[in-house]
Amino acid sequence: AQSVTQLDSQVPVFEEAPVELRCNYSSSVSVYLFWYVQYPNQGLQLLLKYLSGSTLVKGINGFEAEFNKSQTSFHLRKPSVHISDTAEYFCAVISSGTYKYIFGTGTRLKVLA
Amino acid sequence: DAGVTQSPTHLIKTRGQQVTLRCSPKSGHDTVSWYQQALGQGPQFIFQYYEEEERQRGNFPDRFSGHQFPNYSSELNVNALLLGDSALYLCASSYVGAEGYTFGSGTRLTVV
């Protein structure tokens, strides 16, 4: 069965420092990959997605992610974080031919002043 | 342009009761999915509706049922509520063939 692993449940980082949030998935079929952000008491907002083509994907708010098929990873990066980036981040995958997201358990990014 | 609208935002129910949650998709979207997000967890897929039919279902019991109306809006019904049904219920919409969904802000259901 398809699964998504976010190894880091919490990531503290100082403001203006770089950050990487890790995501690995298990699949032997084609997948589409996504990162969502969730602010407290809100729904999910799409940061970026990989469907095909270039393995480096740029999203909103200065985030980017790189699809690595051989390592089945889709890590999220930002070169310089802001206090406002404090939120929960979810990695998700949709397998080709299905309609449902499989989400990871989330990574709580806490940006410190 | 309104995004995905969910109602109510918060709800408290007693064990054994039934509940109906509502979702209006983003304008132009015809597909609606429902997810359950327990505290501290990632969202879990309940089911998806397209053309008023349930197109795919996750691992949820039959107590969870849904409906999609001709205007693409949708309802999620949960019967015989259990304490474990307490969660944030998220609705997500898209148009057929698109990858990536727009999520609503959710309905926070508390079962006491």
Side-chain angles (χ1 to χ4, degrees), chain B:
Chain B
D1 177 28
V4 178
T5 304
Q6 291 188 244
S7 63
T9 55
H10 294 84
L11 202 54
I12 300 176
K13 289 287 190 179
T14 303
R15 276 180 298 175
Q17 285 189 314
Q18 179 265 343
V19 68
T20 298
L21 310 181
R22 295 177 175 81
C23 173
S24 293
K26 184 177 179 178
S27 177
H29 287 185
D30 57 7
T31 302
V32 174
S33 301
W34 287 92
Y35 288 80
Q36 180 195 66
Q37 185 179 18
L39 202 60
Q41 300 296 317
Q44 299 290 317
F45 176 78
I46 303 174
F47 42 54
Q48 184 181 88
Y49 277 83
Y50 171 66
E51 292 188 338
E52 302 180 48
E53 297 285 336
E54 184 182 287
R55 183 158 72 169
Q56 188 172 7
R57 188 179 182 91
N59 295 326
F60 279 80
D62 292 344
R63 298 187 297 110
F64 290 77
S65 63
H67 189 76
Q68 185 179 34
F69 298 95
N71 67 353
Y72 308 120
S73 67
S74 177
E75 289 182 348
L76 164 65
N77 301 292
V78 187
N79 294 321
L81 284 167
L82 304 173
L83 295 179
D85 295 331
S86 295
L88 179 68
Y89 288 85
L90 295 165
C91 173
S93 73
S94 72
Y95 57 89
V96 65
E99 303 302 341
Y101 296 81
T102 300
F103 282 81
S105 297
T107 294
R108 173 74 62 187
L109 172 65
T110 302
V111 182
V112 297

Side-chain angles (χ1 to χ4, degrees), chain A residues 32 34 36 38 41-46 49 51 88 90 94 97-106 108, chain B residues 33 35 37 40-45 48 55-59 88 90 99-106 108:
Chain A
Y32 305 119
F34 306 81
Y36 281 86
Q38 186 175 37
N41 300 314
Q42 294 189 27
L44 302 172
Q45 180 183 5
L46 180 65
K49 60 184 176 184
L51 305 181
E88 190 90 20
F90 290 95
I94 295 179
T98 73
Y99 306 105
K100 64 177 183 179
Y101 281 121
I102 303 296
F103 282 92
T105 51
R108 180 158 298 184
Chain B
S33 301
Y35 288 80
Q37 185 179 18
Q41 300 296 317
Q44 299 290 317
F45 176 78
Q48 184 181 88
R55 183 158 72 169
Q56 188 172 7
R57 188 179 182 91
N59 295 326
L88 179 68
L90 295 165
E99 303 302 341
Y101 296 81
T102 300
F103 282 81
S105 297
R108 173 74 62 187

